[in-house]
Amino acid sequence: MTLPRVSIQTEDFDLSTEIAALRRANPGVGAVCGFVGTVRGQDTGDAVESMTLEHYPGMTEKSIEAMLDAALQRFDILGARVIHRVGRLLPCEQIVLVAVASAHREQSFRACEFLMDYLKTQAPFWKKEQTPQGARWVDARASDDAALARWAIMAGSKDSAPRPTASPIKQSGHGP
């Protein structure tokens, strides 16, 4: 059974299981690089009690699939997997996995970093942190845009997906 390249889910994921599946998928794999992002318990000096992640079903998967296609064109990789969780998450819980397989480590490292930079700035996700002072939407950081720019992709360029700026629920006046 072939695993999907992209999964958007509420359930947690198992890093060992995902890495093993990438290794088994191709006998030419000599390196697998993985990145796991977690919910921080503190952001900009404030305690974070939880983070809620929202997305556009269908659009989000399509956007990430396009990112994976771009990575396959730029780097000599044999496979990749992105899992991104949505819903309410607590500090220390896993949010995202980016895993890349290649014959040699350099390509896996570079492709993993490229995908994470692209994902962080271009994927249509919205994050809301709950702090003791109340809820707040998490804005994109200039440092994330700079990381994407080193790949010769500018936020908002034709090579990038529309940039999420606020929750679609918040914009429509529905919901929280």
Side-chain angles (χ1 to χ4, degrees):
M1 178 180 128
T2 303
L3 288 174
R5 296 190 313 170
V6 176
S7 296
I8 308 299
Q9 60 194 47
T10 56
E11 304 83 25
D12 200 4
F13 53 86
D14 181 71
L15 178 62
S16 296
T17 300
E18 298 300 331
I19 297 296
L22 266 178
R23 286 188 2 242
R24 281 193 308 269
N26 188 315
V29 171
V32 177
C33 182
F35 172 85
V36 175
T38 62
V39 178
R40 289 184 295 271
Q42 188 174 24
D43 190 27
T44 63
D46 295 326
V48 174
E49 297 169 348
S50 68
M51 177 181 283
T52 302
L53 291 105
E54 300 177 5
H55 75 112
Y56 275 127
M59 179 182 169
T60 304
E61 293 87 345
K62 184 177 178 180
S63 174
I64 297 171
E65 285 285 352
M67 292 174 202
L68 289 168
D69 290 341
L72 285 164
Q73 291 176 0
R74 284 176 177 251
F75 306 101
D76 187 15
I77 60 175
L78 301 172
R81 177 99 163 104
V82 173
I83 300 174
H84 206 297
R85 295 180 65 201
V86 293
R88 185 173 181 266
L89 302 173
L90 301 174
C92 300
E93 289 188 323
Q94 299 180 128
I95 302 171
V96 62
L97 166 69
V98 175
V100 181
S102 65
H104 303 284
R105 70 179 183 268
E106 181 183 3
Q107 293 299 301
S108 286
F109 277 120
R110 293 182 68 218
C112 189
E113 198 167 22
F114 167 80
L115 286 167
M116 197 57 227
D117 289 345
Y118 207 130
L119 188 64
K120 187 86 167 140
T121 57
Q122 304 304 305
F125 288 100
W126 293 268
K127 300 175 185 178
K128 183 169 45 173
E129 292 177 336
Q130 183 65 45
T131 72
Q133 294 78 27
R136 63 182 179 206
W137 293 102
V138 178
D139 293 325
R141 293 181 168 95
S143 60
D144 295 331
D145 289 340
L148 183 66
R150 71 190 166 133
W151 303 107
I153 299 173
M154 301 304 294
S157 74
K158 70 178 181 73
D159 293 328
S160 66
R163 180 192 198 119
T165 55
S167 167
I169 294 171
K170 185 178 176 187
Q171 289 174 345
S172 70
H174 298 78

